[in-house]
């Protein structure tokens, strides 16, 4: 520490040394507090980034899944329509005559 009393110094020197030590301690505590706030903000930012990345990945997977379901549904509908038309044409007893 910077504030060590000299040998043989009186009570005033001891009080001044204690005051200096206390001021240094307060400065150190303020610095620790400031550093802990910065550290907390960095940690919070890191956590928020990880949550956003996980949510983005999950959202992308859900979106792709819904897109796949839509494709499956539209393909099934197209196949059903095609099968119906083919079965209808085969089931008709009297074929249509072209007009025109």
């Amino acid at each position: 520490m910077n504030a060590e009393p000299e040998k043989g110094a009186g009570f005033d020197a001891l009080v001044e040394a204690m005051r200096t030590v206390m001021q240094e301690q307060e400065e150190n505590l303020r610095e620790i507090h400031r550093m802990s706030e910065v550290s907390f903000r960095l940690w919070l930012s890191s956590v928020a980034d990880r949550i956003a990345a996980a949510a983005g990945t999950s959202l992308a997977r859900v979106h792709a899944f819904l897109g796949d379901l839509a494709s499956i549904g539209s393909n099934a509908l197209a196949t059903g329509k095609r099968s119906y038309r083919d079965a209808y044409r085969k089931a008709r007893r009297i074929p249509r005559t072209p007009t025109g």
Side-chain angles (χ1 to χ4, degrees), residues 10-72:
F11 182 73
D12 292 338
L14 182 60
V15 169
E16 186 61 35
M18 289 296 291
R19 184 176 298 136
T20 304
V21 168
M22 289 173 59
Q23 286 174 349
E24 288 176 1
Q25 180 67 18
E26 286 179 21
E27 289 174 13
N28 290 338
L29 289 174
R30 272 188 243 127
E31 182 67 17
I32 289 170
H33 182 69
R34 186 189 64 75
M35 290 173 59
S36 67
E37 283 182 7
V38 169
S39 177
F40 176 73
R41 288 179 186 156
L42 290 173
W43 173 81
L44 188 60
S45 175
S46 171
V47 168
D49 288 345
R50 285 183 277 158
I51 289 172
T57 300
S58 298
L59 184 61
R61 287 181 179 163
V62 169
H63 189 232
F65 177 72
L66 294 176
D68 289 346
L69 288 179
S71 295
I72 290 168

